[in-house]
Amino acid sequence: MIIVSEAPFDPGALLSEFSSGRTEVGAVATFTGIARAECGEASILELEAYPGFTEAEIGRIAEDARRRFELDDLLVRHRIGRIAPGETIVFVATAAKHRRAAFEACDYLMDYLKSRAPFWKKEHGPAGARWVEPRAADHADIARWDKETSR
Amino acid sequence: MAKVLLFGPLRDLAGWRERDVEDATSISGLRARLAEEDERLGEALSAPGVQVALDQAIVRGDRPIGVHNEVAFLPPMSGG
């Protein structure tokens, strides 16, 4: 399931709901992304999406992950709008028969979300506002998966 | 006429997020039309790393556009 919304969420509650009632899934892995204060440099993070397109693009990569890692299920929940330090921005959960696939799929989905999913992120702080672009490390992270085509 | 959407820093630069633009029959024509009004925006729309979505599908190169098309300019993306 893919949800892009302004509504805050509780990662614990999402995990409980995602894990419940599964009897053939041996592994659930999750990632929770939290807005950083950057030692006072960032007071608010503003996230923008392209409604419809953003969900569809994440859906495409989610299908790719589902096939690639033989997932049973996955959940991507991403906030947009204004987010304060300490609030959750993103939650990804993956369910697979075994742990390796669940871990790797979660990692893959996050690498994709950081640098290729249609979101735009503006950091507001005491020194003004700036648009945040992916760092070189983010590009290197997603490029790891492009090489691994022989899975 | 096409519906044009700008995101991220492009929206800040232009001062608008969504507009109908007349007299453009292709994506390149649309870029040129917007550059006539605002040179800096024109340059930013042609910058490397800016992708174009035509009716919510990424396209590369030029494409014809018409009244019912939605053209979005997408600067480098960053989520999470």
Side-chain angles (χ1 to χ4, degrees):
Chain A
M1 190 188 295
I2 316 290
I3 301 170
V4 175
S5 151
E6 289 194 11
F9 55 82
D10 171 6
L14 293 180
L15 170 59
S16 295
E17 195 185 336
F18 185 79
S19 317
S20 73
R22 299 194 186 274
T23 53
E24 293 299 328
V25 164
V28 169
T30 69
F31 176 85
T32 305
I34 299 169
R36 281 190 305 262
E38 304 282 14
C39 302
E41 296 291 305
S43 46
I44 285 284
L45 207 55
E46 183 188 340
L47 268 137
E48 184 184 11
Y50 181 178
F53 178 73
T54 297
E55 289 88 342
E57 287 290 297
I58 300 172
R60 221 166 40 82
I61 214 73
E63 272 319 301
D64 177 43
R66 200 184 275 272
R67 277 195 308 273
R68 181 169 182 161
F69 301 99
E70 296 178 14
L71 295 181
D72 285 272
D73 199 4
L74 63 85
L75 167 67
V76 175
R77 175 133 188 185
H78 206 300
R79 278 189 69 188
I80 51 172
R82 296 171 77 82
I83 298 160
E87 292 183 3
T88 48
I89 304 177
V90 60
F91 180 82
V92 172
T94 52
K97 201 159 191 175
H98 300 289
R99 72 181 183 285
R100 185 72 55 211
F103 276 136
E104 289 191 352
C106 195
D107 197 17
Y108 173 71
L109 286 166
M110 273 313 303
D111 284 348
Y112 163 79
L113 288 168
K114 288 300 281 189
S115 57
R116 294 197 186 161
F119 291 100
W120 296 273
K121 200 158 55 177
K122 195 178 193 179
E123 201 177 81
H124 296 266
R130 69 175 191 103
W131 287 97
V132 182
E133 289 197 9
R135 301 165 304 146
D138 294 324
H139 291 302
D141 282 343
I142 188 69
R144 294 182 301 154
W145 303 101
D146 295 338
K147 289 175 202 152
E148 291 180 24
T149 49
S150 57
R151 275 189 66 90
Chain B
M1 187 178 79
K3 183 164 124 185
V4 180
L5 302 176
L6 302 181
F7 290 92
L10 294 175
R11 184 239 305 165
D12 277 359
L13 181 64
W16 51 270
R17 176 193 292 269
E18 180 178 332
R19 251 186 72 178
D20 289 330
V21 176
E22 316 255 346
D23 308 327
T25 55
S26 66
I27 291 172
S28 61
L30 173 63
R31 268 207 201 87
R33 179 82 189 72
L34 292 169
E36 275 171 29
E37 293 174 16
D38 183 338
E39 195 180 332
R40 282 177 59 218
L41 177 63
E43 278 172 28
L45 294 178
S46 305
V50 173
Q51 301 186 81
V52 178
L54 177 58
D55 294 333
Q56 305 213 346
I58 299 278
V59 293
R60 292 177 213 291
D62 206 5
R63 294 293 169 93
I65 55 171
V67 181
H68 301 295
N69 289 131
E70 178 176 290
V71 181
F73 290 94
L74 313 173
M77 302 163 176
S78 177

